[in-house]
Amino acid sequence: MKYTHVRHFAVALITLVVSASGGAVERNGFRLDGAAVPVDEILPGGPPRDGIPAIDHPRFVPAAQARHVKPGDRVLGVVRGAISRAYPIAILNWHEVVNDRFGDEAVVVTFCPLCGTGMAFAARIAGRDLSFGVSGLLYNSDVLLYDRQTESLWSQIMAQAVVGPLRGQRLVFLATAHTTWAEWRARHPATEVLSADTGYGRDYARDPYAGYRESPDLLFPVATQDRRLHPKEQVIGLTLGGEHKAYPFSALARAGRRVVEDRVGGQAIRIEFDAEARTGRVLDADGRELPSVTAFWFAWLAFHPQTALYEGK
């Protein structure tokens, strides 16, 4: 289904569901009582609960055997200890959640195609490993995950449970690279890559969101918009010391150098940006990588309306 058709279907569905629901506090089988965000801004995205199936038993192949990824393909990269793994966006577009383990550590890798956000989290809360699914609900156009143990709803970008028994609990955000397969493999030659043998009959060569990234239109309403940038401009979003700042890829490319130094929340940071691979990472003064979010501008702004914006020098 092409983006334009998805958009018309989604707008019609929102109008139907929201107008019919009135004061209802249950959607997609989830009770929304006591939500930490406005209930009328939690919207159905179209698919039912688990209509977008999470990958619960991921298979991986060594880089040398990864015939299903091309050098320019986008991947999410995660490193934990001695293990490095790449998750092709072409697969994540269809699943959005991978419940994985790095040795004894439970990790959930998430991707929201509507917001362009790929984020990995430690999945252990209060000594219990959680597994996640796709609720079919959205907040500020961003995927709401749910954990199968308590059926709490979690905002991906907030990294926090907003509904349910775990409301207010936060997930630990792990450094996650959003880059090309070639760039990731060059940095991590021993990497594994998520296999296309997922157990689901999906056409991973087809992009179900074709045209969406180029369009200025949004599928779903958001709380705040700012036209200083194209809504789908990619930014690196960083939160430190209670301060939020967005670094547009276009401004980082204009800087004409691979390293941009700045201060956020009173801390010195530097951004290493690769314009060719369209990827960047944030390091602290000691060279440690800090978790940052690669997102569409509209999505970062919706959750951080007071964000500062880097405009280059």
Side-chain angles (χ1 to χ4, degrees):
M1 185 181 291
K2 292 295 185 182
Y3 157 66
T4 51
H5 297 127
V6 174
R7 180 176 186 273
H8 294 154
F9 170 76
V11 170
L13 182 64
I14 292 171
T15 303
L16 174 64
V17 173
V18 173
S19 62
S21 64
V25 292
E26 183 172 316
R27 293 184 189 135
N28 275 16
F30 296 96
R31 291 193 61 83
L32 305 184
D33 308 66
V37 298
V39 171
D40 60 359
E41 295 179 17
I42 297 176
L43 301 177
R49 176 200 302 223
D50 296 321
I52 297 173
I55 297 176
D56 292 323
H57 304 287
R59 301 179 179 91
F60 295 89
V61 296
Q65 298 176 20
R67 306 287 182 250
H68 59 298
V69 282
K70 300 179 178 62
D73 288 353
R74 305 299 296 180
V75 301
L76 296 185
V78 180
V79 176
R80 304 299 293 164
I83 303 171
S84 57
R85 287 178 178 158
Y87 304 80
I89 298 298
I91 297 176
L92 295 177
N93 270 335
W94 293 90
H95 296 282
E96 301 188 10
V97 171
V98 179
N99 290 297
D100 202 357
R101 298 194 73 86
F102 284 66
D104 293 333
E105 183 182 17
V107 171
V108 59
V109 178
T110 71
F111 182 69
C112 180
L114 296 176
C115 293
T117 43
M119 302 173 70
F121 305 98
R124 177 166 291 183
I125 298 292
R128 176 168 55 169
D129 290 345
L130 303 182
S131 64
F132 291 84
V134 182
S135 71
L137 299 173
L138 305 168
Y139 171 63
N140 268 338
S141 196
D142 183 44
V143 60
L144 285 176
L145 316 169
Y146 80 94
D147 72 80
R148 294 166 177 148
Q149 286 69 28
T150 73
E151 297 205 335
S152 299
L153 292 174
W154 300 76
S155 165
Q156 181 211 32
I157 292 179
M158 292 173 67
Q160 182 175 343
V162 296
V163 176
L166 296 181
R167 185 187 67 172
Q169 290 275 2
R170 298 193 63 84
L171 292 168
V172 176
F173 180 27
L174 307 177
T176 313
H178 193 152
T179 185
T180 63
W181 169 236
E183 194 274 340
W184 179 257
R185 185 177 179 183
R187 274 200 284 146
H188 302 280
T191 189
E192 303 171 328
V193 60
L194 180 65
S195 169
D197 181 14
T198 62
Y200 296 95
R202 300 293 190 271
D203 181 3
Y204 297 123
R206 184 174 72 84
D207 182 357
Y209 297 89
Y212 172 74
R213 297 165 188 81
E214 295 74 31
S215 171
D217 297 330
L218 306 184
L219 282 176
F220 298 89
V222 293
T224 305
Q225 294 195 55
D226 183 330
R227 295 295 181 178
R228 282 180 292 172
L229 299 173
H230 188 289
K232 312 290 178 52
E233 164 86 37
Q234 284 186 296
V235 304
I236 296 173
L238 181 64
T239 298
L240 280 178
E243 183 179 339
H244 312 293
K245 192 161 186 178
Y247 296 82
F249 280 22
S250 57
L252 291 171
R254 283 198 305 271
R257 56 189 185 278
R258 290 182 61 92
V259 177
V260 171
E261 296 182 344
D262 202 1
R263 295 188 69 85
V264 178
Q267 298 185 45
I269 60 104
R270 71 177 189 268
I271 297 176
E272 295 181 349
F273 183 70
D274 184 333
E276 182 178 355
R278 294 185 61 77
T279 186
R281 59 181 188 149
V282 182
L283 306 175
D284 67 12
D286 295 320
R288 293 184 295 257
E289 184 170 2
L290 301 173
S292 60
V293 182
T294 295
F296 294 142
W297 164 239
F298 87 84
W300 176 258
L301 181 72
F303 286 90
H304 308 92
Q306 302 303 318
T307 188
L309 181 63
Y310 174 79
E311 297 179 353
K313 298 177 181 179

